[in-house]
């Protein structure tokens, strides 16, 4: 078995949408690093993706936006069969840097159909792209999107 992105162009949702339609949840898995998701400034904002079936999730990659990247902090990454039945995958204390690629590894492979990214406290949740890597069935080689900005910081975080 190998790891593959199982979230590309899957069904998504978020707690709210900043400016109603310019930053919808689907932008988070559209494969385009020129689009982004943004929620309103609210308490515990979240975004989720439905993988379309149960997968053993290994890690989540988050392409942080090139400006105001510090807003991505105190993030819970959760996996479960439904939005109301989630298990912790990992926690990222942050804050992230603008333009940073975060690789957030689960404390152990976590099985579920829904992956949810939620911030603690009052903030905007915003990022360019999220990818969920799980032990896949096909493991076809797919090219990664190239960042649209000149400098990209990559940080890998593992739970302690």
């Amino acid at each position: 078995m190998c790891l593959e992105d199982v979230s590309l162009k899957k069904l998504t949702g978020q707690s709210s949408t900043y400016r109603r339609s310019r930053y919808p949840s689907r932008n988070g898995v559209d494969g385009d690093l020129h689009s982004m998701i943004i929620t309103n400034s609210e308490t515990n904002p979240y975004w989720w993706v439905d993988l379309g079936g149960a997968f053993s999730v290994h890690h989540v990659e988050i392409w942080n936006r090139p400006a105001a990247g510090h807003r991505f902090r105190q993030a819970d990454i959760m996996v479960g069969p439904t939005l109301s039945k989630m298990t912790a995958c990992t926690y990222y204390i942050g804050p992230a840097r603008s333009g940073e690629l975060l690789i957030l590894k689960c404390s152990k492979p976590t099985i579920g159909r829904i992956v949810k990214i939620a911030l603690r406290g009052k903030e905007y949740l915003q990022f360019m792209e999220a990818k969920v890597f799980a032990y896949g069935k096909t493991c076809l080689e797919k090219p990664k999107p190239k960042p649209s900005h000149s400098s990209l910081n990559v940080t890998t975080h593992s739970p302690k």
Side-chain angles (χ1 to χ4, degrees):
M1 285 241 178
C2 60
L3 293 173
E4 66 179 308
D5 175 14
V6 294
S7 59
L8 184 65
K9 301 197 184 216
K10 298 289 175 74
L11 180 66
T12 60
Q14 60 194 42
S15 54
S16 64
T17 302
Y18 180 70
R19 295 199 177 161
R20 299 198 183 179
S21 64
R22 189 169 175 201
Y23 305 104
S25 64
R26 70 178 171 270
N27 288 356
V29 291
D30 63 0
D32 180 1
L33 291 177
H34 294 96
S35 66
M36 71 177 87
I37 71 101
I38 305 177
T39 66
N40 292 322
S41 176
E42 61 187 319
T43 302
N44 304 327
Y46 63 87
W47 175 91
W48 57 265
V49 60
D50 182 339
L51 304 176
F55 287 89
S56 181
V57 176
H58 180 268
H59 71 274
V60 176
E61 293 183 4
I62 298 171
W63 300 74
N64 202 13
R65 68 177 290 186
H70 66 280
R71 289 181 171 159
F72 194 90
R73 63 182 184 275
Q74 297 182 7
D76 288 298
I77 311 299
M78 296 165 284
V79 179
T82 66
L83 277 170
S84 60
K85 247 187 169 176
M86 305 297 286
T87 300
C89 161
T90 192
Y91 173 74
Y92 174 72
I93 194 163
R97 294 184 309 262
S98 295
E100 185 174 16
L101 169 58
L102 299 168
I103 301 172
L104 306 174
K105 293 182 181 177
C106 294
S107 56
K108 63 181 181 180
T110 308
I111 296 173
R113 174 184 179 124
I114 309 290
V115 175
K116 181 178 175 184
I117 299 168
L119 300 185
R120 297 179 185 180
K122 184 169 176 137
E123 188 57 270
Y124 295 91
L125 173 58
Q126 53 191 12
F127 56 84
M128 306 302 284
E129 193 77 12
K131 293 179 174 227
V132 177
F133 283 83
Y135 293 97
K137 297 167 182 141
T138 61
C139 291
L140 297 174
E141 286 297 316
K142 298 175 188 167
K144 286 191 170 200
K146 295 194 180 356
S148 60
H149 35 84
S150 59
S151 63
L152 179 69
N153 302 307
V154 178
T155 307
T156 302
H157 297 274
S158 296
K160 297 195 191 266

